[in-house]
């Protein structure tokens, strides 16, 4: 049985220093490994135990990072000694095969979302008109979606909710992840890209992990899935019958998720019982 393992990256497997959520005396802290540098400075980490577990997971399954990052942002992250054969980037807008973008998939995605939602320029203009000092940056990603970096402490009450309603009327959706507010076409999903990768890899079973509302469809599409006890899904109380929840938070949850994924990928007979705790 070929098992496909699709996992979100940020705040699921890898963590910035702001998201560590480490507690206890210094001598009990786990050893950390930096897996991403940006402009020469360390940016993202996982525990060393997580890194060892992911190497084993890549041997036991077809491991697929599935991220909202653009391909350029994804390529900064070094999870494994040998890069995974597939990666899903831009929330499903790109499939990377041995590091290269599949142009046919990207073209098909753009064609599909163009028919079902308002153009990206409308969203950009709305964000520009309805910002304020709390908006630190505005960006677009792969010419597919927009996001803003905000000061969470200064974020006006109801601003995200108002934006969510405006976007929903135009076939878009929003997600608040850390300091970033994403606006994406509703048809741009990791789940669709994961199904395509599963088809190409000949996988009969899928396991998934993620922490944000943008990961919900991926978790629901999987035979078994897990989310951390933090992040957008946790804050909204999101649950699903085949989705487990970690006991830990922060970077320790990332380690727990890696071990959980490996245990199930290495024992495919568990899929005869879809209970998430098994």
């Amino acid at each position: 049985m070929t098992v496909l393992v699709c996992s979100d990256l940020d705040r699921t497997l890898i963590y910035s220093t702001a998201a560590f959520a480490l507690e206890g005396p210094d001598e009990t802290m786990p050893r950390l490994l930096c897996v991403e540098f940006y402009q020469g400075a360390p940016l993202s980490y996982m525990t060393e135990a997580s890194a060892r577990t992911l190497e084993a997971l890549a041997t036991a399954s077809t491991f697929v990072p599935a991220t909202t990052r653009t391909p350029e942002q994804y390529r900064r992250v070094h999870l494994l000694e040998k890069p995974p054969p597939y990666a899903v980037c831009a929330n499903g807008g790109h499939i990377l095969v041995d590091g290269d973008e599949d142009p046919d998939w990207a073209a098909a995605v753009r064609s599909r979302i163009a028919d079902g939602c308002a153009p990206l320029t409308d969203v950009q203009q709305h964000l520009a008109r309805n910002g304020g000092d709390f908006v630190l940056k505005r960006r677009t990603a792969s010419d597919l979606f927009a996001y803003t970096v905000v000061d969470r402490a200064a974020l006006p009450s109801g601003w995200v909710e108002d934006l969510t309603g405006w976007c929903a009327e135009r076939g878009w959706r929003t997600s608040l992840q850390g300091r970033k507010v994403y606006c994406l076409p509703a048809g741009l999903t990791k789940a669709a890209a994961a199904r395509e990768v599963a088809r190409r890899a000949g996988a009969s079973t899928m396991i998934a992990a993620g922490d944000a509302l943008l990961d919900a469809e991926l978790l629901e599409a999987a035979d078994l899935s897990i989310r951390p006890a933090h992040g957008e899904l946790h804050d909204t109380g999101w649950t699903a019958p085949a989705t487990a929840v970690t006991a830990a938070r922060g970077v320790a949850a990332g380690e727990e998720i890696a071990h959980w994924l490996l245990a199930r990928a290495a024992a495919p007979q568990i899929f005869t019982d879809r209970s998430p705790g098994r």
Side-chain angles (χ1 to χ4, degrees):
M1 178 185 292
T2 299
V3 178
L4 192 78
V5 177
C6 292
S7 180
D8 177 50
L9 294 180
D10 296 277
R11 293 172 61 87
T12 298
L13 289 180
I14 67 175
Y15 292 80
S16 66
T17 55
F20 280 173
L22 290 171
E23 300 176 350
D26 291 345
E27 59 269 21
T28 67
M29 294 296 103
R31 288 170 60 91
L32 298 173
L33 176 68
C34 181
V35 295
E36 179 186 14
F37 285 83
Y38 180 59
Q39 295 181 344
L43 186 59
S44 300
Y45 301 80
M46 62 172 54
T47 69
E48 289 189 347
S50 291
R52 292 192 296 269
T53 302
L54 286 186
E55 290 290 346
L57 181 63
T59 299
S61 69
T62 299
F63 173 62
V64 182
T67 178
T68 307
R69 289 171 174 244
T70 65
E72 294 77 18
Q73 293 167 334
Y74 164 73
R75 292 187 181 105
R76 299 198 306 249
V77 180
H78 301 282
L79 295 175
L80 304 170
E81 288 293 326
K82 180 181 178 182
Y86 297 100
V88 172
C89 296
N91 213 67
H94 292 283
I95 291 176
L96 272 57
V97 182
D98 294 327
D100 295 326
E101 299 170 34
D102 181 332
D104 293 337
W105 174 259
V109 168
R110 281 160 174 75
S111 176
R112 183 174 69 248
I113 63 177
D115 293 334
C117 64
L120 173 61
T121 52
D122 287 5
V123 178
Q124 292 173 295
Q125 291 168 6
H126 181 78
L127 290 172
R129 289 194 303 266
N130 292 274
D133 293 341
F134 61 92
V135 175
L136 307 179
K137 298 177 184 177
R138 296 187 187 90
R139 296 286 187 269
T140 58
S142 296
D143 291 325
L144 286 169
F145 61 89
Y147 65 93
T148 60
V149 181
V150 299
D151 179 351
R152 287 289 295 266
L155 194 62
S157 176
W159 186 83
V160 174
E161 291 76 9
D162 290 344
L163 177 63
T164 298
W166 184 92
C167 284
E169 293 174 355
R170 291 157 178 82
W172 287 65
R173 56 182 173 163
T174 62
S175 176
L176 176 61
Q177 301 180 36
R179 297 191 308 141
K180 293 181 179 178
V181 181
Y182 291 91
C183 299
L184 298 95
L188 185 66
T189 69
K190 295 179 184 179
R195 291 188 188 98
E196 173 63 14
V197 174
R199 184 190 67 80
R200 298 184 188 192
S204 55
T205 304
M206 181 164 64
I207 313 172
D211 72 293
L213 285 173
L214 296 178
D215 298 313
E217 289 146 321
L218 177 64
L219 301 189
E220 290 174 333
D223 295 276
L224 292 174
S225 58
I226 187 169
R227 67 165 177 83
H230 64 248
E232 199 177 22
L233 291 176
H234 189 72
D235 293 344
T236 59
W238 184 91
T239 61
T243 302
V245 182
T246 64
R249 300 174 60 253
V251 70
E255 183 174 316
E256 185 178 342
I257 287 169
H259 284 290
W260 189 96
L261 294 172
L262 176 60
R264 283 142 187 86
Q269 66 272 15
I270 66 169
F271 293 101
T272 59
D273 180 352
R274 288 175 56 112
S275 171
R278 287 196 55 185

